[in-house]
Amino acid sequence: MPTSATVSAPGKLFLLGEHAVVYNGSCLVTAVDSRLWLTLTADESSTSPTLTINAPDVGLANWTCPLKESFFRPAYQGPSSFIESSIAVFHRRYPFHANLKIETRSDFGANLGLGSSSATVAATLYALSVVFNADLSPEQLFAMGVEAIQNVQKLGSGADLAAAIYGGTIYYLNHYPRQITPLKIDSLPLMVVYSGEKAGTVSYVRKVAELEENWPNVISSVIETMFTVVDSGRERLLAHDWVGLGQLMNIQHGLLHALGVDTLSLAEIVFAARRSGALGAKLSGAGGGDCAIILVDDAHRAEVRTALQHKKILDVQANAPGVRTEKRD
Ligand code: MEV
């Protein structure tokens, strides 16, 4: 009898500290209630197991291969890469022999920069652990997820993955050993706006690395300042001091601009929001496109919305739960 599980994992938004976190730094990241849904079905009766993936958001329709191939790819590439790499990492620790069928659908699509890759890795590993009774702790899931992501993109801080697994809002320290500290907050008045441009995280992380090679003293000061912004932001967030947090978001946006990852479209959103009374606004994530986040109180929300009505305002809430089992629909 095939066994199956349906799970979901949240997307994420960086509040502060993107890019700096890659340089052994810290960041504040929040999970959002736009989720990646994944159903895994395992059939242990098969003699020569295959993997089949249906993931319309990344263009996979009945994509299939012998499961063994997924375990030993010299390089994990293309739309199946994060699922295959997660399966390989899981199988190394918890060997199994079964046909796997995976179906995904996302509330947010792969193009908005809300962390669909990390959500896919978190959901795949969690579904495998449910179906094969591995009973993985969040720490174990996280360690395996970091390995799966490294096998695909060879870089990354792991902060997106922490948000997808733990949920909520997190202070994340990318030192060894990594620290993931959930922050207790009950609200976060954010507005999220898509810039209309799709950015590639890997290329923007490399772009900053190149700038750092050319200007090590200058860029290390920018990154150091971001560390201080994150630590101050953590205090302001816990104190629900939205005015202070907004100012720090504006500072972080300026520092990201200095790193060369801002775009005209993102800057237009940020300036229009500030002009309409937002407490703070910044790009969120790697830059080069994706989304901007705006901290705005109730008194100015309508005005900011009007100023940005020609843009795509996303209906997402911060501080969402991490990866979890869902009832089948
Ligand atoms: C990308 O979402 C955020 C970066 O800090 C990269 C990372 O943390 O891996 C730019």
Side-chain angles (χ1 to χ4, degrees), residues 12-14 16-23 27 29 113-115 118 149-150 153 155-161 172 174 200-202 204-205 208 256 261 283-287 290:
K12 65 83 191 75
L13 289 166
F14 273 83
L16 292 172
E18 51 272 87
H19 284 291
V21 68
V22 175
Y23 294 82
C27 69
V29 63
L114 290 183
S118 303
I149 291 172
Q150 288 290 333
Q153 57 185 38
L155 51 79
S157 67
D160 317 35
L161 180 71
Y172 180 85
N174 188 22
T201 298
V202 173
Y204 275 80
V205 170
V208 172
L256 289 164
V261 302
L283 70 87
S284 175
D290 295 340

Side-chain angles (χ1 to χ4, degrees), residues 163-195:
I165 291 173
Y166 289 80
T169 300
I170 288 169
Y171 173 81
Y172 180 85
L173 187 59
N174 188 22
H175 274 163
Y176 188 77
R178 285 184 169 111
Q179 276 176 37
I180 298 169
T181 311
L183 301 178
K184 279 210 162 49
I185 52 162
D186 34 284
S187 67
L188 189 56
L190 283 186
M191 193 182 281
V192 184
V193 184
Y194 181 54
S195 68

Side-chain angles (χ1 to χ4, degrees), residues 245-317:
L245 183 65
Q247 286 174 355
L248 290 164
M249 285 169 61
N250 289 339
I251 294 169
Q252 174 72 6
H253 183 82
L255 296 170
L256 289 164
H257 184 91
L259 293 185
V261 302
D262 196 8
T263 66
L264 182 58
S265 171
L266 284 164
E268 277 169 359
I269 296 169
V270 163
F271 279 85
R274 289 179 194 163
R275 213 172 30 233
S276 312
L279 297 166
K282 62 180 279 289
L283 70 87
S284 175
D290 295 340
C291 290
I293 56 171
I294 298 162
L295 193 67
V296 57
D297 58 22
D298 286 349
H300 295 91
R301 193 160 276 268
E303 208 177 319
V304 171
R305 264 192 177 270
T306 308
L308 294 169
Q309 63 191 351
H310 55 294
K311 299 278 183 189
K312 188 178 164 103
I313 299 176
L314 306 182
D315 189 20
V316 295
Q317 300 296 321

Side-chain angles (χ1 to χ4, degrees), residues 112-137:
L112 300 180
L114 290 183
S116 56
S117 310
S118 303
T120 301
V121 169
T124 306
L125 287 169
Y126 190 63
L128 286 164
S129 89
V130 172
V131 164
F132 295 109
N133 300 311
D135 200 19
L136 296 177
S137 66

Side-chain angles (χ1 to χ4, degrees), residues 35-311:
R35 304 182 75 86
L36 183 288
W37 299 71
L38 183 146
T39 298
L40 169 77
T41 306
D43 182 354
E44 294 180 270
S45 67
S46 168
T47 48
S48 48
T50 56
L51 167 66
T52 304
I53 305 176
N54 278 301
D57 290 308
V58 291
L60 296 179
N62 265 325
W63 179 94
T64 192
C65 76
L67 188 59
K68 261 197 200 139
E69 283 183 14
S70 293
F71 297 155
F72 307 109
R73 294 219 185 273
Y76 288 90
Q77 288 166 338
S80 62
S81 56
F82 287 101
I83 290 179
E84 287 192 277
S85 169
S86 303
I87 292 171
V89 168
F90 182 88
H91 184 266
R92 266 201 293 285
R93 294 201 185 46
Y94 300 91
F96 61 85
H97 186 90
N99 257 352
L100 295 185
K101 189 165 179 201
I102 290 185
E103 319 228 348
T104 69
R105 122 183 119 68
S106 91
D107 295 334
F108 45 81
N111 290 329
L112 300 180
L114 290 183
S116 56
S117 310
S118 303
T120 301
V121 169
T124 306
L125 287 169
Y126 190 63
L128 286 164
S129 89
V130 172
V131 164
F132 295 109
N133 300 311
D135 200 19
L136 296 177
S137 66
E139 291 75 21
Q140 287 169 311
L141 272 177
F142 180 75
M144 291 166 77
V146 166
E147 198 181 325
I149 291 172
Q150 288 290 333
N151 288 346
V152 179
Q153 57 185 38
K154 314 285 176 224
L155 51 79
S157 67
D160 317 35
L161 180 71
I165 291 173
Y166 289 80
T169 300
I170 288 169
Y171 173 81
Y172 180 85
L173 187 59
N174 188 22
H175 274 163
Y176 188 77
R178 285 184 169 111
Q179 276 176 37
I180 298 169
T181 311
L183 301 178
K184 279 210 162 49
I185 52 162
D186 34 284
S187 67
L188 189 56
L190 283 186
M191 193 182 281
V192 184
V193 184
Y194 181 54
S195 68
E197 302 158 323
K198 170 71 196 134
T201 298
V202 173
S203 63
Y204 275 80
V205 170
R206 291 212 177 108
K207 195 171 141 102
V208 172
E210 253 171 53
L211 201 64
E212 206 259 342
E213 257 171 56
N214 293 344
W215 303 99
N217 296 339
V218 179
I219 298 305
S220 62
S221 307
V222 175
I223 303 265
E224 286 282 334
T225 306
M226 285 182 172
F227 297 169
T228 314
V229 168
V230 171
D231 287 342
S232 306
R234 174 184 179 168
E235 281 171 21
R236 297 301 89 217
L237 185 68
L238 287 172
H240 285 204
D241 170 9
W242 304 139
V243 172
L245 183 65
Q247 286 174 355
L248 290 164
M249 285 169 61
N250 289 339
I251 294 169
Q252 174 72 6
H253 183 82
L255 296 170
L256 289 164
H257 184 91
L259 293 185
V261 302
D262 196 8
T263 66
L264 182 58
S265 171
L266 284 164
E268 277 169 359
I269 296 169
V270 163
F271 279 85
R274 289 179 194 163
R275 213 172 30 233
S276 312
L279 297 166
K282 62 180 279 289
L283 70 87
S284 175
D290 295 340
C291 290
I293 56 171
I294 298 162
L295 193 67
V296 57
D297 58 22
D298 286 349
H300 295 91
R301 193 160 276 268
E303 208 177 319
V304 171
R305 264 192 177 270
T306 308
L308 294 169
Q309 63 191 351
H310 55 294
K311 299 278 183 189

